[in-house]
Amino acid sequence: MGEARDAIVEAARAQTVAGGWDGVRMGAVAEAAGVSRQTVYNEFGTKAGLAEALARHEVDRFVGEVRAALDEHGADVRAAAYAAIRRTLASAADNPLVKAILTSARGGSDELLPYLTTRADLVLTESTTVLLEWAGRHLPDADPAALAFAADSTVRLVVSHIVLPGAPVDETAGRLADLAVHLFLGAVTRR
């Protein structure tokens, strides 16, 4: 992203955190970013385009955290899965933008919620790709189709626990890591 584009996304993020996505106005975003309103429209086209850029920004950040957590533990499937899942759940729980999205949705406004749920292809694709890259390095004898299913299922479950947390982060991460071990190591034995 260019500097102006980054500034616009950061301004939109700050306004979403402060007052929810419904309260975000392109003119106010432009003013906060130090650019013209026309620049915002030239960069993103519409408010929906800005929402997509905002979602991409957050996904890129989360994916970087997942990659780092996986890499810290190398081939130890349980430790890598636990670290990546725990870091993701904890980061999402502490992320003011995720909180704003979920709080707005509970209040009846769900313009950004689809980026975590029904339009979560960005989240699913990027996160699944990181898991598959890690698995390719550490589980080279695994069945590719079974690995793809393991990665996709793990990501979908983590996202569901971000949207509707059911237990403390450590407990959820532990249980999901156990399931991930079963799925990923099961992919190795299928070959």
Side-chain angles (χ1 to χ4, degrees), residues 15 23-24 43 60 72 80 88 97 104 117 119 162 171 190:
Q15 288 183 20
V24 173
E43 287 289 333
D60 288 347
E72 286 171 14
T88 300
L97 180 61
S104 293
T117 56
R119 292 186 60 203
I162 289 171
E171 181 182 333
R190 289 188 190 174

Side-chain angles (χ1 to χ4, degrees), residues 48-78:
L50 181 56
E52 287 183 31
L54 184 55
R56 156 83 47 210
H57 178 342
E58 291 302 304
V59 167
D60 288 347
R61 194 179 61 69
F62 275 107
V63 166
E65 290 180 8
V66 167
R67 181 175 279 114
L70 291 168
D71 290 345
E72 286 171 14
H73 297 281
D76 184 337
V77 176
R78 174 63 167 71

